[in-house]
Amino acid sequence: MIRVAVVDDQALVRGALAALLALEDDIEVVGTAATGAEAIDVVLMDVEMPDMDGLEACAQIRAACPATRVLIVTTFGRVGYVRRAFAAGASGFTVKDSPPDQLARDVRTVAGGGRVVDPQLATDSLAVGINPLTPRERDVLIACEDGGTIDDIARALHVSPGTVRNHVSAAIGKTQARTRVDAARIARENGWL
């Protein structure tokens, strides 16, 4: 019997996934949770949740319980998330609009020690490439999403305005954007933030 816990911040989705998997003879749903902070023993997890996102929770689960397999199931099929999920130790990554029977197959594959990834995301991931941003450039672009000035961002990140300008310039070049807001949008859409 494959034991699975479902973690998703949306109650309807969480319940539907649990009910769907419970129909399988060889899969037992042993629990559900609404946030990553609740999800320390989980296998099936969403990416974007309150308190702790699924990627951070995945890394903590894998560090605490290396034998636990994590299958990311999300609405947000962004190529950067795929790479970050596997870097965090996930065994699989699929999207919520996959056919129901595919989810059960993915759970079985992951439980058996295999890896799964949505085929379209795998193809897109190869086309987009790796995240070109440094951790500090990511921090600056996240701060740019709030719409503050360079001085506001510098104060928030405890760096000089010149340093912020340098990181913004580098991020614009790496994302091939026209503005810092555009760079943040492109980075977010690719799952790099």
Side-chain angles (χ1 to χ4, degrees):
M1 186 66 75
I2 301 169
R3 295 166 45 95
V4 176
V6 178
V7 182
D8 194 294
D9 62 319
Q10 297 173 346
L12 183 61
V13 173
R14 185 172 60 247
L17 289 172
L20 178 70
L21 289 172
L23 297 173
E24 301 295 323
D25 293 336
D26 60 338
I27 297 174
E28 177 186 6
V29 177
V30 296
T32 62
T35 70
E38 295 177 47
I40 302 306
D41 298 324
V42 301
V43 173
L44 193 63
M45 187 173 329
D46 192 11
V47 171
E48 293 190 6
M49 297 182 294
D51 300 332
M52 177 188 300
D53 71 33
L55 303 178
E56 184 179 338
C58 175
Q60 288 189 16
I61 290 165
R62 296 292 291 158
C65 306
T68 300
R69 305 278 181 199
V70 177
L71 174 60
I72 301 292
V73 182
T74 185
T75 302
F76 305 101
R78 298 177 180 141
V79 296
Y81 281 169
V82 175
R83 290 182 184 276
R84 289 174 53 204
F86 283 104
S91 296
F93 193 103
T94 191
V95 291
K96 291 178 182 174
D97 64 355
S98 297
D101 59 329
Q102 183 63 47
L103 179 61
R105 283 195 301 272
D106 290 350
V107 168
R108 289 183 188 101
T109 298
V110 167
R115 292 181 171 260
V116 295
V117 65
D118 178 85
Q120 185 61 51
L121 284 175
T123 302
D124 292 347
S125 182
L126 291 172
V128 169
I130 62 170
N131 181 352
L133 302 172
T134 66
R136 200 48 149 171
E137 289 165 355
R138 288 182 65 229
D139 292 343
V140 168
L141 288 183
I142 289 168
C144 287
E145 289 180 308
D146 292 335
T149 66
I150 293 292
D151 288 339
D152 293 337
I153 295 167
R155 274 191 299 279
L157 298 178
H158 308 290
V159 296
S160 73
T163 298
V164 171
R165 282 187 199 89
N166 289 340
H167 288 306
V168 166
S169 178
I172 287 172
K174 290 177 179 180
T175 59
Q176 299 178 345
R178 293 184 31 209
T179 65
R180 62 185 168 155
V181 173
D182 194 35
R185 179 191 55 78
I186 290 167
R188 177 70 61 195
E189 287 174 358
N190 281 300
W192 297 337
L193 301 183

